[in-house]
Amino acid sequence: ATGENLGALIEGGSTNLATWSEEFSNTAYIKSGTTVTTNTITAPDGTLSGDKVNDDVSNGVHRILTSAGIPISTTTETTYSIYAKADGITEVKLTDNDLGAGIVVNLLNGEIISGTGNVKSAGNGWYRISHSKINSTGTGRIVVLLSVNGSQSYVGTNSGVYIWGAQLEALPFASSYIRTEGAAVSRSGDNLSLPSAGNFNASEYSVNVEFKISNIVRTRSNSAYLYSINDGTNANRIINLISSEKNRILNSVGVDFSNPSLLVNGTTYKSTSTFISDTVTGYEDDAFFGSRSPYPTVSPLTTINIGASISSSFLIFGHISKFATYDKALTAQEITLL
């Protein structure tokens, strides 16, 4: 939507529990005060698959919702998400039930009117709206309510909104869209790696990575690896990761340090580390944030895992737009030129 170079999207596995993600005319959805016209507009994926939801010019609540509760966890957050675009009605509420907490969004500018959640532009007037919560009932429903001036109960206007891409997943944030057609669909975690031979010199090096993470807060309890250079085990490895919302550099002999500054969701950062003469130095966005000595050479190393650990876990759920290694310790001035 913005023309920004996002780079490689790297995500862990997820499952879309909403069994019909695009066909809102299906009986899997209840229409209350609304009608659905299928395939009326180009969706965010470029196909003619966006549906229009019109109100039916009656008093009462105007909504569309999954017809049955979907089993979900009662102990961890579930995220509800959908793409929406204004067509006469300019506000929608996304929630898991009519009266519970949710998020109300202005579809003309993507601003959150009330509630909690996230809104991201998907281009051409489309917005992806998401809401996360822990539901004590053990079942969840995707509920989209049409709204006029903040009211969810009104005399209809015979206008509506476009919707597409319903998703319900067991994550505290919305991952990339997973299409379903009658059953839940799972996506495997991404696995991006290359051999270290010819790509990395353990005796003297610099590593530069540019990244953007979708959910920095998640790193409070689950680290996100920018890269792991290793021998296929945890015995010998060099790591740059995000932990507790901070940039952290460490190796397998227990030498590590972090930048005290907290990172922010959806922001692109550059992390660079250099090693020479048993000293490792860390930079974030070209600014020095720490060094450690002694920092012994770790070898032999065979594999470079990008955006994940050696076991394809601790994935970043975000983008890496640049990854580069150098067989020398770059100076501070050289790092500003990367």
Side-chain angles (χ1 to χ4, degrees), residues 11 133 159 171 255 258 269 275:
E11 296 183 294
K133 68 176 294 186
S159 56
L171 286 173
V255 181
S258 300
Y269 293 95
F275 173 80

Side-chain angles (χ1 to χ4, degrees), residues 159-182:
S159 56
V161 298
Y162 298 109
I163 59 174
W164 181 82
Q167 187 149 307
L168 191 159
E169 55 191 319
L171 286 173
F173 54 90
S175 70
S176 61
Y177 172 57
I178 303 170
R179 186 185 184 195
T180 63
E181 293 182 297

